[in-house]
Amino acid sequence: MSAVDWPALKAAALDVQARAYVPYSSYRVGAALLTVGGEIIAGCNVENATYGATCCAERNAVFAAVAQGYTEFRAIAVVTNGADPGTPCGICRQVLAEFGSDLEILCFTPEGAEARYRLSELLPHAFKLK
Ligand code: THU
């Protein structure tokens, strides 16, 4: 399996983070998903006045990728602001796990803090129907 181009994935996450729609929390999240074929698909969080209809950056990246025909993923880079990088929420972990638990996850901040995980570490024993 080819090495992940982390700088390219991080650049895509930072790029899309700037487009986050966050009038309620002001918490900008950018996610860039790398397919096994080398495509990069990005998503940002999109908030809603109902709050409950808000969708996270990671899920928006996955849903965009699936809509474009990609269902096999190698890695995801997630950028958040603050001192420590944020990790994907529980719902996003389950959505990512639908497509494989080996996914490499890089959580980072624009200031240079980083944390690396495998999805299987963040969501052991994910629920599966198949
Ligand atoms: N958010 C994400 O985009 N990804 C996560 O994994 C956690 C939370 C967003 C949702 C909301 O717009 C804001 O961060 C605050 O919760």
Side-chain angles (χ1 to χ4, degrees):
M1 201 179 284
S2 60
V4 174
D5 184 350
W6 290 111
L9 211 53
K10 288 172 72 174
L14 282 164
D15 198 48
V16 74
Q17 187 197 25
R19 293 193 287 277
Y21 177 76
V22 291
Y24 306 105
S25 75
S26 299
Y27 187 75
R28 293 181 176 276
V29 186
L33 199 51
L34 179 67
T35 71
V36 293
E39 302 289 333
I40 293 177
I41 317 286
C44 57
N45 51 335
V46 178
E47 297 187 343
N48 184 268
T50 64
Y51 294 14
T54 291
C55 194
C56 294
E58 297 91 327
R59 270 176 290 151
N60 279 330
V62 171
F63 299 156
V66 172
Q68 290 173 49
Y70 304 108
T71 54
E72 290 185 79
F73 308 118
R74 174 91 168 75
I76 188 169
V78 180
V79 61
T80 51
N81 297 327
D84 298 316
T87 57
C89 79
I91 297 173
C92 289
R93 293 178 196 196
Q94 183 65 45
V95 168
L96 289 165
E98 182 69 24
F99 302 99
S101 292
D102 283 342
L103 189 75
E104 287 189 76
I105 301 175
L106 173 65
C107 301
F108 71 102
T109 71
E111 290 72 35
E114 285 194 0
R116 285 267 293 268
Y117 307 95
R118 283 269 173 195
L119 181 55
S120 53
E121 288 175 68
L122 295 185
L123 187 65
H125 312 292
F127 177 76
K128 296 234 163 75
L129 279 181
K130 61 181 178 64

